[in-house]
Amino acid sequence: MPKTTKDILSFDEFDERRNPPPAETDFSQIVDRLVSRRRFLGASIAFGASAFVMGTTALTPSPAAAAGSRLAFKQVAANTLDTVTVPEGYSWHIVATWGEPMWSKSLPFDEATRGTGASQELAFGDNNDGMSIFTDGDHTILAVNNEYTNRSIIHGNRESGLAENADDVRKSKAAHGVSIVEIEQKDGRWNIVLDSPYNRRITADTPMEITGPARGHDLLKTAADPSGTNVLGTYNNCGNGMTPWGTYLACEENFNGYYASTDPENKVGDALKRYGVGNEDWGYNWWKHDERFDISKTPNEPNRHGYIVEINPLDPTSTPKKRTALGRFKHENAAVTLAADGRVVVYLGDDERGEFLYKFVSEGKYAVGGDNSDLLDAGTLYVAKFSDDGKGEWVALTPESTGMASQAEICIHTRMAASAVGATTMDRPEWVACNPNRVEAYCALTNNKNRGVKPNAGGDDTPVNGPNPREKNLYGQVVRWVPVNGDHAAERFEWDLFVTAGNPVVHTGPEAGSANVNADNMFNSPDGLGFDTTGLLWIQTDGNYKNTDGFAGHGNNQMLVGDPDTGEIKRFMVGPKECEITGITWSADRKTLFVGIQHPGEKGGSHYPGGGSSVPRSTVIGITRDDNELIG
């Protein structure tokens, strides 16, 4: 299948090529200084922050740390197979696949054409990512993000490997968004229920309502929507969230890659540039057939994307709502929890090198069985500042603190607001996960090859100084924080590092990773995070799978399990070639673990799941124990 340069580039590489970021992150400097001062850079420790991980009880000691391992499965070895590998005593099966019909009137997936616009609108979307399970009586409903498409795969029937006509664009837009399907278990396997009244496709063309402080702002108004209150579509939804009142949160991430200009002389403003919007797209060609994506004709359209979208998965007639109060940036996921007084807290990462970590605290309080429909429309948006003494604070983004004219402007230009208050730039904040059994949260900082090499996107001018053992951070780490007084609404916290990924076989210095990384469990680029009910942390990777040089022995992308009490980490699963492991949720009885296999064969090296010469297709899989016992 044909390949294009844009198809091979990742989103962040494309952004960087178009708009080189200003690079070193002050968060990494803080780690270096903190670690150095605590004398954790001894010869026996590969990376200073690993000292925090010796038992990982620095912040929250637990009696469980003295007990035996809670990771009661035989670790899976790293490999480069073109299939899914799970531990002995476990089995896996496919639940849903890109292009699979959701209604009986749809057509089966066509290997030759990869479908049409009409067939894709009735089928499961592509490149599934974040997901959640909902129940309604005896019905089980799975909501899944469909982040993006690999152009050379979905348009593999075209010589160019790109959308060449209006129907190709229709198919591409229909493959994005969210798939909501009822699933049922028969003979131990979960499958889509055809024609279920719960089944729904939400795409780049689905009508949505804009809510919150930015609703109706001039920057959101277009010729098609002069009120600035209604918008079509959601796309590039990465991770997700789930609210206590039973709604699904889809998170718009790399929305910038879909815009271009028919006018090559179009002048792109600084605000759009900060979000990576320019006169050239990532190769989708939507702008050639839909003026919404032509910024020379609809310059405000990008301002209407980059938000958290709230969806009621149990009501197919409901209108999705873009919650502007939670800010506009490249949202990774939305980790929802409750403050001590019942207010809703949402942790949010902006997945780009040198961007920020955020928190939203609602104005109102969650009421069990009450009307919580507008809780995400009013509250305070904060951004994190990490100090080099292992402490940190959340800085409220207000007109007074940022110098911006209004809260609406802050919600539209959130990145600039965070820069204005001197927030701590981070190494690509990915998923955030909150421990269900104690008040603490974790964030995957996936990698940052520019650390110490280029200025960072967040704009601080802190130079590299002192020891910096993780320059050109290729492996990533997971940061953890505990709010003061055990309250997620608190404005101060203490932090440490749970793990720094690396390769202790190839390296003996900082790149070897922390003390809980070894030759048997090593990995790179932690991305997805999720806690099970027992308080174990599941870690999914989206990193380098070439299995050579500094990544020798890492194999394909994988999913690991970590124990926050002891720091122990074991590899639970390995995915097929060239995939990302992303999205995690459990059945109501906790006997099935659902996981996403995204973009297998993105570089032409996989034929998962069909094998042979079949088209590679993203899937949701179900993992069960052979003894029918609980998983998490």
Side-chain angles (χ1 to χ4, degrees):
M1 57 188 73
K3 282 264 167 227
T4 67
T5 300
K6 290 178 184 176
D7 203 46
I8 295 173
L9 288 175
S10 66
F11 274 108
D12 55 283
E13 289 168 335
F14 175 69
D15 288 344
E16 192 169 299
R17 178 170 294 188
R18 169 199 288 156
N19 186 30
E24 153 74 3
T25 68
D26 55 1
F27 181 75
S28 62
Q29 297 171 41
I30 289 170
V31 170
D32 293 346
R33 295 198 298 271
L34 174 60
V35 166
S36 178
R37 183 164 61 252
R38 292 186 179 181
R39 299 179 182 178
F40 285 165
L41 280 174
S44 63
I45 298 177
F47 179 51
S50 66
F52 300 155
V53 189
M54 294 188 299
T56 51
T57 56
L59 294 179
T60 50
S62 169
S69 173
R70 292 199 293 155
L71 310 184
F73 60 89
K74 183 178 180 181
Q75 179 162 257
V76 170
N79 66 68
T80 57
L81 301 175
D82 198 21
T83 188
V84 174
T85 309
V86 295
E88 293 179 7
Y90 292 78
S91 299
W92 68 277
H93 64 276
I94 293 173
V95 178
T97 307
W98 163 46
E100 181 178 353
M102 293 167 52
W103 291 272
S104 56
K105 63 183 178 181
S106 182
L107 297 174
F109 182 77
D110 188 321
E111 288 267 338
T113 66
R114 291 90 196 277
T116 64
S119 69
Q120 183 59 68
E121 287 169 352
L122 297 172
F124 194 79
D126 197 8
N127 281 350
N128 43 269
D129 205 302
M131 65 181 85
S132 291
I133 285 287
F134 299 83
T135 57
D136 188 13
D138 295 331
H139 300 277
T140 299
I141 293 86
L142 175 66
V144 189
N145 288 346
N146 300 115
E147 186 179 10
Y148 68 105
T149 65
N150 295 99
R151 274 77 63 216
S152 65
I153 296 178
I154 194 172
H155 302 304
N157 58 324
R158 304 299 183 198
E159 183 64 28
S160 65
L162 300 172
E164 295 182 355
N165 57 45
D167 194 66
D168 286 349
V169 169
R170 179 183 174 187
K171 175 171 71 172
S172 177
K173 291 198 291 185
H176 286 68
V178 180
S179 296
I180 300 174
V181 291
E182 181 179 0
I183 58 175
E184 63 179 354
Q185 190 177 33
K186 290 183 177 179
D187 300 323
R189 301 172 67 92
W190 292 88
N191 295 284
I192 292 175
V193 178
L194 282 175
D195 302 317
S196 167
Y198 296 100
N199 291 358
R200 183 182 188 185
R201 282 305 323 281
I202 295 171
T203 73
D205 289 324
T206 300
M208 303 189 174
E209 181 182 354
I210 299 172
T211 73
R215 176 182 171 87
H217 192 278
D218 286 347
L219 288 172
L220 300 188
K221 295 176 180 178
T222 65
D225 175 33
S227 68
T229 60
N230 297 284
V231 63
L232 290 181
T234 185
Y235 42 89
N236 213 281
N237 299 104
C238 190
N240 69 298
M242 182 176 180
T243 67
W245 52 95
T247 58
Y248 182 78
L249 303 181
C251 307
E252 298 179 335
E253 190 187 12
N254 294 297
F255 63 92
N256 61 300
Y258 299 79
Y259 296 93
S261 172
T262 51
D263 177 8
E265 302 302 318
N266 179 59
K267 302 298 182 184
V268 181
D270 290 341
L272 288 182
K273 286 182 179 178
R274 178 65 191 274
Y275 284 88
V277 177
N279 288 335
E280 182 183 6
D281 75 341
W282 202 39
Y284 284 101
N285 291 341
W286 293 3
W287 58 280
K288 293 183 178 181
H289 300 277
D290 188 339
E291 288 189 354
R292 284 188 292 148
F293 300 93
D294 184 341
I295 59 173
S296 65
K297 297 177 180 178
T298 317
N300 276 353
E301 187 65 24
N303 295 331
R304 295 149 62 85
H305 302 274
Y307 298 104
I308 299 295
V309 182
E310 186 172 13
I311 301 167
N312 182 350
L314 304 184
D315 181 4
T317 67
S318 61
T319 300
K321 297 182 178 182
K322 295 205 176 187
R323 302 298 193 182
T324 64
L326 278 67
R328 173 174 166 265
F329 43 87
K330 293 186 179 181
H331 285 279
E332 182 67 17
N333 84 319
V336 184
T337 188
L338 295 177
D341 62 1
R343 286 179 293 165
V344 178
V345 178
V346 188
Y347 290 109
L348 309 151
D350 184 354
D351 182 12
E352 190 164 329
R353 299 182 186 101
E355 288 294 345
F356 307 112
L357 179 65
Y358 298 86
K359 178 177 78 170
F360 170 83
V361 181
S362 68
E363 182 178 290
K365 298 178 181 181
Y366 168 63
V368 178
D371 181 5
N372 301 290
S373 58
D374 296 324
L375 279 181
L376 300 183
D377 274 346
T380 303
L381 185 62
Y382 297 85
V383 68
K385 291 184 75 171
F386 289 79
S387 301
D388 60 2
D389 59 357
K391 300 183 186 213
E393 64 175 316
W394 294 100
V395 180
L397 298 178
T398 65
E400 293 74 23
S401 67
T402 64
M404 290 189 169
S406 66
Q407 197 63 33
E409 185 177 341
I410 290 170
C411 292
I412 297 169
H413 296 321
T414 310
R415 284 183 165 180
M416 289 79 96
S419 291
V421 301
T424 302
T425 55
M426 307 288 275
D427 285 357
R428 291 187 58 195
E430 298 271 7
W431 291 55
V432 180
C434 299
N435 192 327
N437 298 329
R438 58 179 183 241
V439 182
E440 63 179 11
Y442 295 65
C443 179
L445 305 175
T446 195
N447 56 53
N448 185 352
K449 68 179 182 181
N450 291 338
R451 180 183 164 189
V453 179
K454 298 179 181 179
N456 65 78
D460 65 59
D461 58 359
T462 306
V464 176
N465 53 48
N468 191 348
R470 296 278 285 198
E471 278 191 350
K472 301 178 184 178
N473 179 11
L474 300 179
Y475 296 108
Q477 61 267 6
V478 176
V479 64
R480 165 178 57 183
W481 62 94
V482 174
V484 298
N485 299 322
D487 185 0
H488 280 292
E491 295 187 353
R492 296 190 177 275
F493 59 88
E494 295 183 353
W495 67 270
D496 68 5
L497 291 177
F498 175 65
V499 62
T500 56
N503 192 324
V505 174
V506 173
H507 301 293
T508 57
E511 288 76 23
S514 51
N516 53 347
V517 172
N518 54 59
D520 295 323
N521 71 357
M522 59 184 180
F523 63 97
N524 72 88
S525 302
D527 189 323
L529 296 179
F531 273 99
D532 63 28
T533 60
T534 71
L536 293 177
L537 179 66
W538 296 71
I539 304 169
Q540 301 172 319
T541 71
D542 177 23
N544 192 306
Y545 45 70
K546 67 181 183 179
N547 205 39
T548 60
D549 303 324
F551 302 97
H554 282 201
N556 297 341
N557 276 305
Q558 55 190 276
M559 182 167 69
L560 309 99
V561 188
D563 186 342
D565 292 328
T566 66
E568 181 185 13
I569 296 174
K570 290 174 68 173
R571 185 183 300 107
F572 179 84
M573 185 189 107
V574 177
K577 292 181 178 180
E578 299 177 2
C579 82
E580 168 187 353
I581 306 299
T582 183
I584 184 169
T585 189
W586 283 262
S587 60
D589 63 7
R590 292 168 43 219
K591 291 186 176 183
T592 304
L593 168 62
F594 298 96
V595 178
I597 307 295
Q598 190 193 79
H599 64 68
E602 64 174 353
K603 296 183 179 179
S606 172
H607 294 284
Y608 168 89
S613 59
S614 64
V615 175
R617 298 164 67 187
S618 295
T619 64
V620 174
I621 66 170
I623 302 174
T624 56
R625 283 177 52 163
D626 295 344
D627 60 7
N628 200 36
E629 291 298 319
L630 305 181
I631 304 179

